Amino acid sequence: MNTYQDYIQEIEERKSQGLNPKPIDGAELLSEIISQIKDLNNEYRADSLNFFIYNVVPGTTPAAGVKAKFLKEIILGESVVAEITPAFALELLSHMKGGTSIEVLLDLALGSDVAIAKEAAEVLKTQVYLYEADTERLEVAFKNGNTIAKDILESYAKAEFFTKLSDIPEEIKVVTYIAGEGDISTDLLSPGNQAHSRSDRELHGKCLISAQAQDEIKTLSEAHPDKSVMLIAEKGTMGVGSSRMSGVNNVALWTGKQASPYVPFINIAPIIAGTNGISPIFLTTVGVTGGIGIDLKNWVKKLDAEGNVVVDEAGDPVLEEVYSVATGTVLTINTKTKKLYNGDKELIDISASLTPQKVEFIKAGGSYAIVFGKKLQTFACKTLNIEIPQVYAPSKEVSIEGQGLTAVEKIFNKNAVGTTPGKVLHAGSDVRVEVNIVGSQDTTGLMTSQELESMAATVISPIVDGAYQSGCHTASVWDNKSKANIPRLMKFMNDFGLITARDPKGNYPAMTDVIHKVLNDITVDDWAIIIGGDSHTRMSKGVAFGADSGTVALALATGEATMPIPQSVKVTFKGEMKPYMDFRDVVHATQAQMLHQFKGDNVFQGRVIEVHIGTLTADQAFTFTDWTAEMKAKASICISEDATLIESLEIAKSRIQIMIDKGMDNAKQVLKGLIAIADKRIEEIKTGVKPALAPDADAKYFAEVVVDLDVIAEPMIADPDVNNADVSKRYTHDTIRPLSFYGGDKKVDLGFIGSCMVHKGDMKILAQMLKNIERQQGKVEFKAPLVVAPPTYNIVDELKAEGDWEVLQKYSGFEFDDNAPKAAARVSYEKMLYLERPGCNLCMGNQEKAAKGDTVMATSTRLFQGRVVEDAEGKKGESLLSSTPVVVLSTILGRTPTIEEYIAAVDGISLTKFSPSHKQLVG
């Protein structure tokens, strides 16, 4: 029996004790699990992935070392796991806190791949558990002129690992539980005779107080999901005897919150109290976990008329209850006033529990993070030879007199909170901003819901205009995992206040629309800030930022986000599009011309692309903004003419109205409210009160790019360049090639039209091309499969109304059926047209995939290794990205077309056209 089978047997044994699988700390077991992950046909692969992602003890354990090294292989492309993208691998490393994970992050950050180095550097900036060997590597690299090391050190010097954390909530709701009367020793919380089980946190947690108490705490937690249970020593002191970290761990396990979604049974932030406070040494340990310890003083000695203490028959003082904290009492800890409340009634001052130092511990999730953080900041400042900044100084505010504002600077100034009144802020300022629109997608939504539960949030912030929970990432296949997870997610988010793709009550049909397209429709203000749980949260109205599940949760709960105002790069256009070109070719050419103009330096990376789109509506412009994620931009903003913006808002209104008609609005009529916001904005533009968003004429940009439309003479294709001798240049999105490069003879195995990069016009182009080809060749015959996934149901309905869907049906061999959705992903394709369910489909790579080793021509945004197509033995999978007409023709021919074949095929077809604005778009 191998190590894994031993582990499975142990799991079965633990089930009889009501326990989950034990967290993995051994290198041998995790190495075997990784082998099973690499074997795509291994019967234990799914379980192995789960164990690897969620059940490994972090830090310096042997298993953590193995995990970190495998994540490094994934990030470098040496190993490919479809379910763990390089971005996700970096995220997992960020949760491992220290040890080998830091070593790996430093290897990547100081390595030769610039893109990976910058991504790893961003993760390192969040870490504080660095030891001398780690800091020495940074110091040596910095002194040798490494700019990444300099960037990291500058971040550490500013203590951004702390300053960028969310402030602790102003109000913390608690529900009380009397753990015992009188002094409570740590032995009640963690019995000494159970010391053998302390390393098994879940097992050891079962010795907290008693089984009955555990059931009562659990019941209380379930009855008050929006509150933390506060354990109380009634008429006594909590935690006498010793600090006993295992006691605090147990309290946190039952009443605290999970420290990381990827680390089981390590919880933080317990809230405990005692009539006579907390034992000093125990209180120190509470601080280690970022918890709160309160001196309640809810019982006081009774005095007689002369002021003498009244004693009982035994000679002990008689106590009088000042206020009740009986089990089940709901209280509020106000961290601003530093007082404890029962409803509106002030009970006691708790300033001693919320000193500036303790607030730091709470904010950072524990005192260790503060200790290591201060040490790291001191080291960084010493290395850079600068003064140590005051961490708790007011937020950084950059204001340059006489300098105008870019579009993103205007949006941030409009939405900023907590800044100096009347002060105009420029790029580089650290700003808290109100968020208008929030999006949660389905493969990270469960984590977002867990984050929301951990912060005791039960309802969406009232300052959020609208929020949407999508079902697009799991749209392709309605399998058992989806059936188990998605309805639960939708109910949670629907109850929370989001508009959900699926109705938990079943009153409206499931909508698997691509999240970005929905967010683009429900964003009805060009001054809006959007936060979405996906890197492609890039709207063509307002400014949108892709975010992790925690940031999405915070935006949903508070209506705020905190970030620096980014620099901007201005993009304008000149010349005229060739009649046979598509706007997708302009998008690719923008990236190619930028790289050429700046000699290979990507000036878009980490910045906002301010594209002066002028005359292109939001639906069509989204093709540009969506691609900016692949340009490595932080965000993008479209500058439109007034009339164009009005047209875009009218389209958005009609799409929102359809959602309302389908019954998707909620009790607060969020969707109806969005239409009202759109109407107000349209009126402002028409009357000239507030024209379409535009930068000031004297705004300052990091760089300016002028795209020459005249030189775009043929379709442009983003190529993964899988055989480039320089591995770092493969799969980068930076290799943009003209169609003629392929000589009309590159075999294409499968075509894909869909996901967020296409709009209604693309579907109409597809229909027109099929009619064209039949007219020219007498019939339509596919020499390669063509998979089509419309982005939204709205588009499908519009195509049906306009007759185009009927054309697609005529030529298709498969059409999705919402009444009988697929229960399993395709493993092979016939040479025909597939009309798939609206959603991400092949672009996500989590359900449907092309056959291994295929060359795929797609409208997708993803050419990452293993995403759309995995490698086969002896043949690399390729995902080439192009316009809709190129994809269609490639599947008809089974190869890349020549430019002559392409021009003939699109003759008379209305492609997505773009003409630069003749107006100076400034405000």
Side-chain angles (χ1 to χ4, degrees):
M1 185 174 291
N2 60 24
T3 308
Y4 183 78
Q5 290 301 322
D6 291 342
Y7 186 55
I8 297 301
Q9 182 176 327
E10 180 192 69
I11 290 173
E12 292 302 314
E13 293 170 354
R14 287 173 69 86
K15 284 182 181 177
S16 65
Q17 305 172 62
L19 297 170
N20 290 286
K22 190 175 181 179
I24 298 165
D25 58 10
E28 184 179 354
L29 173 58
L30 194 64
S31 295
E32 189 172 342
I33 285 171
I34 290 172
S35 296
Q36 292 172 174
I37 292 172
K38 290 180 177 180
D39 179 5
L40 299 180
N41 297 316
N42 192 286
E43 63 181 310
Y44 304 115
R45 186 173 183 276
D47 285 342
S48 295
L49 274 165
N50 189 61
F51 292 141
F52 179 84
I53 294 170
Y54 297 105
N55 212 44
V56 178
V57 181
T60 56
T61 65
V66 172
K67 180 173 181 175
K69 289 173 182 175
F70 185 51
L71 291 173
K72 180 183 179 181
E73 291 179 21
I74 292 172
I75 293 164
L76 292 175
E78 297 168 356
S79 292
V80 177
V81 179
E83 298 84 350
I84 305 176
T85 63
F88 186 32
L90 282 168
E91 181 186 0
L92 290 175
L93 282 172
S94 74
H95 285 262
M96 295 178 69
K97 300 302 181 187
T100 309
S101 64
I102 297 295
E103 179 185 342
V104 164
L105 286 168
L106 283 168
D107 288 344
L108 297 171
L110 303 179
S112 59
D113 189 309
V114 176
I116 291 176
K118 289 181 178 179
E119 291 169 353
E122 291 305 310
V123 176
L124 270 172
K125 291 176 185 179
T126 69
Q127 306 294 296
V128 295
Y129 294 103
L130 276 71
Y131 291 84
E132 282 74 11
D134 306 313
T135 55
E136 183 179 338
R137 288 185 67 186
L138 278 175
E139 184 176 5
V140 170
F142 166 71
K143 289 181 177 178
N144 288 334
N146 186 293
T147 58
I148 294 291
K150 181 176 183 289
D151 185 41
I152 293 169
L153 288 170
E154 288 172 344
S155 176
Y156 287 163
K158 293 183 285 188
E160 290 179 338
F161 40 75
F162 176 69
T163 58
K164 291 186 177 182
L165 295 175
S166 304
D167 291 329
I168 65 174
E170 180 175 335
E171 289 190 344
I172 300 173
K173 297 285 187 182
V174 300
V175 56
T176 62
Y177 180 78
I178 305 298
E181 287 196 6
D183 291 343
I184 293 180
S185 75
T186 53
D187 209 55
L188 181 71
L189 310 175
S190 171
N193 62 5
Q194 299 295 314
H196 64 280
S197 66
R198 286 178 189 162
S199 62
D200 186 344
R201 289 199 178 202
E202 185 188 23
L203 176 59
H204 192 68
K206 290 186 175 294
C207 71
L208 174 77
I209 310 176
S210 67
Q212 179 183 344
Q214 292 163 21
D215 288 340
E216 290 169 352
I217 292 170
K218 184 178 179 181
T219 300
L220 201 58
S221 296
E222 292 172 346
H224 298 272
D226 59 334
K227 304 173 185 68
S228 296
V229 176
M230 181 167 71
L231 258 58
I232 295 174
E234 179 78 319
K235 300 181 183 178
T237 301
M238 175 68 79
V240 297
S242 70
S243 66
R244 197 160 294 180
M245 189 74 220
S246 57
V248 174
N249 287 342
N250 283 349
V251 175
L253 186 65
W254 286 96
T255 69
K257 59 184 180 182
Q258 190 176 14
S260 166
Y262 309 115
V263 183
F265 314 123
I266 298 179
N267 285 15
I268 60 172
I271 301 175
I272 58 174
T275 292
N276 301 322
I278 317 299
S279 171
I281 192 169
F282 195 68
L283 187 58
T284 298
T285 312
V286 171
V288 168
T289 59
I292 302 175
I294 298 175
D295 188 356
L296 292 170
K297 298 185 176 69
N298 59 314
W299 289 89
V300 297
K301 296 175 182 177
K302 185 177 181 178
L303 305 177
D304 61 19
E306 286 74 37
N308 299 313
V309 175
V310 178
V311 296
D312 60 18
E313 294 178 355
D316 295 323
V318 174
L319 300 178
E320 285 186 318
E321 187 180 54
V322 179
Y323 59 91
S324 174
V325 290
T327 294
T329 303
V330 176
L331 304 174
T332 301
I333 299 170
N334 191 302
T335 61
K336 185 176 182 180
T337 63
K338 300 190 178 183
K339 292 178 180 178
L340 185 67
Y341 296 86
N342 187 331
D344 295 327
K345 182 182 179 183
E346 179 183 327
L347 301 178
I348 191 171
D349 183 281
I350 55 172
S351 297
S353 302
L354 296 168
T355 63
Q357 292 76 20
K358 291 175 182 177
V359 169
E360 285 184 56
F361 300 162
I362 298 165
K363 178 177 178 178
S367 59
Y368 292 168
I370 295 299
V371 173
F372 276 80
K374 289 180 178 178
K375 179 180 178 182
L376 192 56
Q377 184 191 28
T378 300
F379 153 76
C381 292
K382 181 179 179 181
T383 304
L384 294 170
N385 195 27
I386 61 174
E387 292 292 324
I388 299 176
Q390 179 70 42
V391 168
Y392 285 102
S395 295
K396 183 180 178 183
E397 296 183 342
V398 177
S399 185
I400 304 171
E401 188 175 351
Q403 179 176 306
L405 298 174
T406 64
V408 74
E409 289 169 338
K410 285 189 173 184
I411 291 177
F412 270 67
N413 275 276
K414 184 254 184 184
N415 292 281
V417 292
T419 56
T420 302
K423 192 170 187 178
V424 176
L425 302 179
H426 288 88
S429 300
D430 290 326
V431 186
R432 280 172 51 222
V433 290
E434 292 185 353
V435 175
N436 306 95
I437 301 292
V438 184
S440 171
Q441 53 102 324
D442 37 328
T443 52
T444 61
L446 290 169
M447 289 186 287
T448 301
S449 66
Q450 291 167 353
E451 295 280 359
L452 289 167
E453 289 172 330
S454 74
M455 62 177 71
T458 59
V459 64
I460 193 170
S461 169
I463 67 174
V464 173
D465 293 333
Y468 180 73
Q469 171 62 59
S470 81
C472 58
H473 289 67
T474 53
S476 302
V477 182
W478 192 234
D479 55 16
N480 290 333
K481 290 180 181 178
S482 298
K483 291 174 184 176
N485 293 329
I486 302 305
R488 176 164 52 93
L489 170 64
M490 294 295 169
K491 183 181 187 310
F492 179 94
M493 291 301 191
N494 197 280
D495 290 344
F496 197 82
L498 282 74
I499 304 299
T500 52
R502 292 177 180 271
D503 181 11
K505 302 181 182 66
N507 293 330
Y508 60 81
M511 290 181 65
T512 54
D513 296 355
V514 176
I515 180 172
H516 322 302
K517 306 297 278 193
V518 178
L519 293 181
N520 204 42
D521 285 338
I522 69 173
T523 299
V524 289
D525 185 353
D526 49 328
W527 291 76
I529 291 178
I530 306 99
I531 297 291
D534 192 285
S535 63
H536 283 82
T537 305
R538 310 289 173 115
M539 304 303 100
S540 45
K541 300 185 292 289
V543 63
F545 299 92
D548 61 279
S549 57
T551 302
V552 171
L554 195 64
L556 287 170
T558 67
E560 291 187 8
T562 302
M563 65 187 84
I565 301 178
Q567 292 177 311
S568 294
V569 176
K570 183 179 180 180
V571 174
T572 56
F573 304 88
K574 68 177 183 178
E576 186 177 346
M577 279 183 68
K578 304 289 188 294
Y580 53 85
M581 302 304 295
D582 185 82
F583 183 62
R584 177 67 183 258
D585 302 313
V586 175
V587 174
H588 286 179
T590 297
Q591 186 160 346
Q593 291 189 26
M594 175 274 295
L595 290 170
H596 177 75
Q597 183 177 338
F598 291 92
K599 297 179 172 56
D601 289 339
N602 186 353
V603 296
F604 292 151
Q605 186 159 338
R607 301 181 178 92
V608 172
I609 299 177
E610 184 184 286
V611 55
H612 288 233
I613 210 75
T615 58
L616 209 56
T617 61
D619 261 16
Q620 298 168 321
F622 189 78
T623 303
F624 188 102
T625 58
D626 200 35
W627 183 258
T628 61
E630 313 312 336
M631 295 178 187
K632 302 183 179 68
K634 187 175 183 64
S636 58
I637 290 181
C638 285
I639 308 301
S640 298
E641 293 182 3
D642 287 353
T644 304
L645 180 57
I646 289 173
E647 184 182 353
S648 295
L649 292 174
E650 291 290 359
I651 293 171
K653 282 174 55 184
S654 67
R655 299 265 172 84
I656 296 170
Q657 186 60 52
I658 291 171
M659 296 172 73
I660 294 173
D661 294 342
K662 288 182 177 180
M664 296 182 71
D665 214 350
N666 57 17
K668 293 187 177 180
Q669 295 188 307
V670 166
L671 295 177
K672 185 177 179 181
L674 291 173
I675 289 181
I677 293 171
D679 284 334
K680 179 185 176 184
R681 187 71 190 102
I682 289 169
E683 185 64 20
E684 290 174 339
I685 299 169
K686 285 182 175 179
T687 59
V689 171
K690 190 177 181 182
L693 172 69
D696 291 331
D698 56 348
K700 184 177 181 181
Y701 297 92
F702 177 83
E704 296 191 29
V705 176
V706 179
V707 180
D708 189 348
L709 301 177
D710 288 333
V711 302
I712 309 172
E714 54 182 303
M716 307 294 287
I717 295 175
D719 192 317
D721 202 12
V722 298
N723 296 310
N724 194 309
D726 184 346
V727 177
S728 69
K729 293 182 180 178
R730 300 175 187 172
Y731 310 104
T732 65
H733 288 88
D734 288 344
T735 302
I736 307 293
R737 289 170 168 157
L739 183 64
S740 58
F741 173 86
Y742 304 95
D745 58 5
K746 184 175 180 64
K747 186 175 183 290
V748 173
D749 300 297
L750 183 143
F752 173 57
I753 296 173
S755 83
C756 48
M757 282 295 284
V758 298
H759 54 88
K760 176 184 171 182
D762 288 280
M763 298 295 110
K764 295 182 77 69
I765 290 170
L766 167 60
Q768 291 172 323
M769 284 197 71
L770 294 176
K771 289 191 292 185
N772 246 20
I773 290 166
E774 183 176 41
R775 185 174 63 253
Q776 294 171 0
Q777 302 180 12
K779 63 177 181 177
V780 174
E781 182 179 351
F782 291 94
K783 293 186 179 177
L786 175 58
V787 178
V788 176
T792 68
Y793 281 87
N794 278 353
I795 287 175
V796 173
D797 291 341
E798 291 168 20
L799 292 172
K800 287 179 178 178
E802 296 165 14
D804 295 285
W805 191 257
E806 185 179 344
V807 175
L808 301 183
Q809 286 176 314
K810 174 183 176 181
Y811 298 108
S812 70
F814 170 85
E815 182 179 359
F816 73 91
D817 181 358
D818 277 333
N819 294 318
K822 286 185 298 181
R826 297 190 190 282
V827 294
S828 62
Y829 298 83
E830 297 180 36
K831 293 177 180 179
M832 65 182 192
L833 171 63
Y834 293 82
L835 288 178
E836 294 285 356
R837 197 180 202 178
C840 301
N841 202 274
L842 284 164
C843 187
M844 258 305 291
N846 64 326
Q847 293 186 325
E848 301 280 72
K849 276 187 178 297
K852 292 182 181 179
D854 271 0
T855 293
V856 181
M857 188 71 75
T859 61
S860 174
T861 56
R862 299 305 198 188
L863 50 66
F864 305 143
Q865 186 176 19
R867 180 65 175 249
V868 172
V869 55
E870 296 176 354
D871 294 341
E873 188 173 349
K875 187 179 187 301
K876 294 180 181 294
E878 296 179 85
S879 178
L880 285 80
L881 310 181
S882 64
S883 66
T884 291
V886 170
V887 174
V888 176
L889 192 54
S890 295
T891 57
I892 295 294
L893 299 172
R895 58 172 172 78
T896 54
T898 64
I899 185 63
E900 293 78 17
E901 289 171 326
Y902 170 83
I903 292 174
V906 299
D907 182 47
I909 293 178
S910 178
L911 302 177
T912 308
K913 293 292 188 294
F914 169 64
S915 298
S917 177
H918 297 296
K919 301 178 181 178
Q920 187 178 12
L921 301 177
V922 294

